[in-house]
Amino acid sequence: MIAAYPIRKSTKSKVHNLAVSYFFWGVFLVWCELLTPTKKKKKKKKKISNLFGQFIKWVILQLTNCTNMAPSVPSTSYGRINDIEAKLAKQKEIDDWLPITSARNAKWWYSAFHNVTAMVGAGVLSLPYAMSNLGWGPGVVILVLSWVITLYTLWQMVEMHEMVPGKRFDRYHELGQYAFGEKLGLWIVVPQQLIVEVGVNIVYMVTGGKSLQKFHDIVCSTKTNCAPMKTTYFIMIFSSVHFVLSHLPNFNSIAGVSLAAAVMSLSYSTIAWSASLGKGVQPGVTYGAKHHSDVGKMFGFFNALGDVAFAYAGHNVVLEIQATIPSTPEKPSKGPMWKGVIVAYIVVAICYFPVALIGYWVFGSNVKDNILLSLEKPGWLIGMANLFVVVHVIGSYQIYAMPVFDMIETVLVKKLHFKPTWYLRFISRNCYVAFTMFVAITFPFFGGLLGFFGGFAFAPTTYFLPCIMWLAIHKPRKFGLSWCCNWACIVLGVMLMVLAPIGGLRQIILDAKTYKFYS
């Protein structure tokens, strides 16, 4: 049973000592006043009386201030404790409802195929095209360097997830707030993360729709009664799946979709490079610059940098994926998470390097921005590969949409004080899917979108923002190995962020000249 808090013993002794000292001080003042010569005794008595009155008031005031130093807990302490418990229970209820923190029972292989699904995707199909703008030497160097740098920065994020004892940074912006401050961290991380995740969802809408269209064209190539369909309709067909899947509550609930997507990514990557290898080097293939003018070469190089950056994009969801893994002081989550990351990066290497190098070797500078569009025969194999792409980007869309759903629902429930109900989730998620679908059917510039988003948003969150956080939090020795490696990544990442969007934006402008809306 909880009783009302009494005045502490130390406070009682302070009151006692203060009263005694004030008493003797008052006697001393009265004695001094009595010894003061005066001619009128009435005025003397009145003066002494006023002095005593002022002294008593002053003592009472000081004693009152002293007793106020004790903890002022009202007798209704039960009410306050119940209020605190109610707030904590409400906070736990909200956390259990939000997508990122609702389940923490994932295994290490969950992180493996979640990371494969997040990283391998539309980006791998554009790597031969990026090589055609970079050339053999710079292309191979940039591919290998990007693989090494992004693996290093991903390791940093896995390590920083639980760097504070008893605290887990479940979201990218929470780590940013710890590194840069509550407000500044939000302004640095959240806009970039939203650009990445919303941008990926838009690009995957375009990719899924165009892959469906390619499958339709291949199937109808042998038939005469197939009517042509607009790209807009295929994007709408692809988006209809997400109006259903987007209502799965959290990462663990989409584990099956993510696993299927990871298998599909490995499958269509294998089809892409093996079909290219079977096709053989094309007659008259050239490996020179894709563009003839110096300006075209420069912008093509910049756009290719964005394509490569887009291919390594899994960092934006890595903390959210790690948040689903259970953790204890004896067995922190970074162990199984890092095991899954290693497996994922091995799969990434198996997918990326053969597709990029063999695709460029076979088609040279004539390769299209999607390697599957350059492959035409055998028709059944290319059609199957496009279907695999559709299945994969369905899973990738969900992986990147889940942190966005978490942000939207957090604002609605915690800031705007909506009740965490199923119909709130139904409305908010459907609105988001409809928004990405609308933007995708309005601006389906696949190659330019990859370059623009890859440089503008993926470079900061993937290449150098983890390094800045590492320097701010761990503070490694200046000019040591860790310090030098991080600064090298920062310099390269900033260059990528500045240069890549220029080429991507130019490509979008060129494509827009010949594009008709909703065609």
Side-chain angles (χ1 to χ4, degrees):
M1 183 176 180
I2 302 175
Y5 291 96
I7 298 176
R8 290 177 296 186
K9 187 176 180 181
S10 59
T11 306
K12 286 184 177 181
S13 62
K14 288 180 182 179
V15 173
H16 178 266
N17 295 336
L18 188 62
V20 172
S21 62
Y22 286 163
F23 175 78
F24 284 108
W25 178 246
V27 172
F28 175 76
L29 289 177
V30 174
W31 180 66
C32 291
E33 184 65 25
L34 290 174
L35 291 179
T36 304
T38 180
K39 295 179 180 180
K40 298 180 179 179
K41 292 184 179 180
K42 289 184 179 180
K43 289 184 179 181
K44 186 176 182 180
K45 288 180 180 179
K46 188 175 181 180
K47 196 172 185 179
I48 293 173
S49 176
N50 290 338
L51 182 63
F52 262 115
Q54 293 175 8
F55 172 71
I56 293 300
K57 289 180 182 179
W58 187 57
V59 169
I60 292 172
L61 179 62
Q62 296 300 318
L63 289 175
T64 303
N65 292 337
C66 187
T67 55
N68 284 340
M69 290 187 294
S72 57
V73 179
S75 58
T76 59
S77 55
Y78 280 119
R80 289 202 172 187
I81 292 174
N82 289 336
D83 289 343
I84 293 173
E85 290 178 348
K87 288 180 180 179
L88 291 175
K90 186 177 180 181
Q91 182 64 40
K92 186 179 184 304
E93 180 185 357
I94 293 174
D95 288 340
D96 291 343
W97 183 77
L98 291 173
I100 303 301
T101 52
S102 60
R104 297 189 187 270
N105 56 356
K107 307 298 182 182
W108 72 265
W109 53 85
Y110 282 40
S111 73
F113 53 74
H114 280 329
N115 278 289
V116 170
T117 302
M119 193 167 297
V120 182
V124 67
L125 301 176
S126 69
L127 289 179
Y129 181 78
M131 288 289 296
S132 69
N133 284 303
L134 295 172
W136 280 114
V140 173
V141 170
I142 291 172
L143 278 177
V144 175
L145 198 60
S146 294
W147 191 88
V148 173
I149 290 175
T150 55
L151 179 60
Y152 172 66
T153 54
L154 194 56
W155 169 80
Q156 287 180 318
M157 298 197 69
V158 171
E159 289 290 320
M160 289 188 288
H161 178 75
E162 292 177 292
M163 58 179 302
V164 178
K167 170 69 176 176
R168 299 184 70 174
F169 298 110
D170 295 325
R171 300 166 178 88
Y172 205 145
H173 69 81
E174 291 178 1
L175 182 60
Q177 287 176 290
Y178 182 80
F180 306 120
E182 289 292 325
K183 291 186 178 179
L184 183 61
L186 279 177
W187 282 105
I188 290 176
V189 176
V190 171
Q192 295 186 75
Q193 192 178 14
L194 280 177
I195 290 172
V196 168
E197 290 162 353
V198 177
V200 167
N201 286 153
I202 293 170
V203 171
Y204 282 171
M205 279 282 188
V206 177
T207 307
K210 286 193 172 183
S211 297
L212 275 177
Q213 187 177 29
K214 180 67 175 177
F215 175 77
H216 171 269
D217 293 343
I218 291 173
V219 171
C220 289
S221 62
T222 58
K223 298 180 181 180
T224 57
N225 58 348
C226 282
M229 291 177 62
K230 296 180 179 180
T231 306
T232 298
Y233 297 148
F234 288 103
I235 294 176
M236 293 175 69
I237 294 170
F238 177 78
S239 66
S240 64
V241 179
H242 298 293
F243 282 106
V244 177
L245 293 181
S246 291
H247 301 293
L248 295 173
N250 51 48
F251 269 117
N252 287 350
S253 64
I254 62 172
V257 178
S258 182
L259 175 59
V263 173
M264 293 299 104
S265 65
L266 185 60
S267 301
Y268 70 71
S269 298
T270 304
I271 290 175
W273 68 259
S274 60
S276 299
L277 193 62
K279 202 174 186 67
V281 178
Q282 297 300 290
V285 66
T286 58
Y287 302 108
K290 190 176 185 68
H291 302 278
H292 300 293
S293 65
D294 292 337
V295 175
K297 292 177 184 178
M298 180 182 68
F299 282 115
F301 187 88
F302 293 164
N303 189 49
L305 292 178
D307 290 346
V308 174
F310 190 94
Y312 295 93
H315 295 58
N316 296 277
V317 294
V318 66
L319 292 180
E320 287 81 356
I321 292 172
Q322 191 171 352
T324 64
I325 299 176
S327 180
T328 62
E330 297 78 20
K331 292 183 178 181
S333 62
K334 66 181 181 181
M337 182 66 185
W338 181 241
K339 188 187 299 184
V341 167
I342 292 296
V343 173
Y345 257 74
I346 292 173
V347 175
V348 166
I350 294 172
C351 293
Y352 281 17
F353 294 109
V355 172
L357 300 179
I358 295 176
Y360 180 52
W361 176 65
V362 170
F363 295 103
S365 58
N366 294 322
V367 68
K368 294 183 180 180
D369 61 355
N370 185 333
I371 183 64
L372 295 181
L373 298 178
S374 298
L375 296 169
E376 297 177 357
K377 295 180 181 180
W380 65 270
L381 187 63
I382 308 307
M384 187 183 300
N386 279 278
L387 275 185
F388 289 168
V389 172
V390 172
V391 175
H392 175 260
V393 293
I394 286 173
S396 295
Y397 184 99
Q398 293 301 315
I399 291 291
Y400 280 97
M402 198 61 72
V404 181
F405 295 154
D406 183 80
M407 291 185 193
I408 294 172
E409 291 165 8
T410 298
V411 171
L412 290 175
V413 174
K414 291 188 176 182
K415 300 295 183 183
L416 302 180
H417 305 293
F418 284 91
K419 291 184 179 180
T421 56
W422 69 268
Y423 49 84
L424 177 66
R425 176 168 285 171
F426 180 83
I427 294 172
S428 61
R429 295 192 179 190
N430 279 343
C431 288
Y432 175 76
V433 174
F435 167 76
T436 56
M437 179 193 70
F438 173 75
V439 177
I441 63 179
T442 306
F443 307 105
F445 311 124
F446 179 72
L449 288 172
L450 286 182
F452 182 76
F453 284 119
F456 184 71
F458 286 93
T461 55
T462 302
Y463 284 81
F464 67 86
L465 192 56
C467 297
I468 296 176
M469 292 180 181
W470 186 271
L471 292 174
I473 296 171
H474 280 273
K475 296 179 174 60
R477 182 173 56 87
K478 190 175 288 187
F479 301 110
L481 180 61
S482 176
W483 188 89
C484 292
C485 289
N486 281 286
W487 273 108
C489 294
I490 292 170
V491 171
L492 292 173
V494 171
M495 291 175 60
L496 188 63
M497 180 188 70
V498 173
L499 298 177
I502 299 173
L505 186 60
R506 177 179 179 271
Q507 189 64 41
I508 291 174
I509 294 172
L510 293 176
D511 291 341
K513 289 181 178 179
T514 57
Y515 175 72
K516 294 181 180 179
F517 284 102
Y518 310 112
S519 59

